[in-house]
Amino acid sequence: MKWLKYGLLLSVILSVFVLAGCQKKGGGNVPSEENLVVETLPVSNGHVETPAPGPNFPLKITIKSAMPPSGVKIDITVKPDGGTVSFFTKSVTSSSAVNDFSITGTTAGAVNVVDITVTSVSKASNQWKGNYKYSRK
């Protein structure tokens, strides 16, 4: 009778270990990340801003979608319209939904193009791009 109890107990213990080892492990399927939705002020959909006195020009970038788990990288470049050399560049990694910048170094009278790229740090293919033009009086 004693051996029957020990045998039954041993069977239960072995069954628990076997069933625990058969459970599906997590991490195989990484949940998909929501596509980035970004809003900027000034609006960056090819918009042309009215000339302003400057000398600094504010730029607000708001992540409207769910923030990716590792945050986003925000790249800003500003160059004269038709030019190839940027006079202002900024690159930051952020996990904040609202990000404020100040564009400096703008020369008077020239039309400038602001290019903005927001990229998920955890999924490089999840990217948003926008641009707008502005000028200093």
Side-chain angles (χ1 to χ4, degrees):
M1 186 69 148
K2 206 183 234 186
W3 289 104
L4 184 60
K5 287 181 186 179
Y6 289 126
L8 186 57
L9 181 61
L10 184 60
S11 298
V12 170
I13 291 172
L14 286 175
S15 296
V16 169
F17 283 116
V18 168
L19 289 175
C22 291
Q23 289 182 356
K24 192 173 186 176
K25 302 287 186 218
N29 291 334
V30 177
S32 64
E33 192 172 277
E34 185 178 330
N35 287 338
L36 286 172
V37 176
V38 178
E39 185 176 276
T40 66
L41 187 62
V43 176
S44 60
N45 59 358
H47 177 74
V48 178
E49 284 286 292
T50 304
N56 299 331
F57 293 84
L59 170 60
K60 179 182 241 175
I61 299 174
T62 306
I63 313 301
K64 301 297 262 182
S65 57
M67 181 63 68
S70 299
V72 294
K73 181 179 179 198
I74 301 171
D75 294 305
I76 303 165
T77 60
V78 185
K79 60 187 168 197
D81 193 15
T84 57
V85 178
S86 300
F87 64 86
F88 179 88
T89 60
K90 188 79 169 180
S91 183
V92 299
T93 300
S94 174
S95 58
S96 176
V98 178
N99 300 272
D100 291 304
F101 301 93
S102 182
I103 298 171
T104 59
T106 303
T107 57
V111 175
N112 303 290
V113 178
V114 179
D115 288 310
I116 305 163
T117 303
V118 180
T119 307
S120 167
V121 173
S122 52
K123 184 179 177 187
S125 63
N126 189 4
Q127 192 174 73
W128 178 93
K129 291 184 178 192
N131 65 62
Y132 68 94
K133 294 181 181 183
Y134 79 100
S135 59
R136 180 177 173 186
K137 285 185 181 181

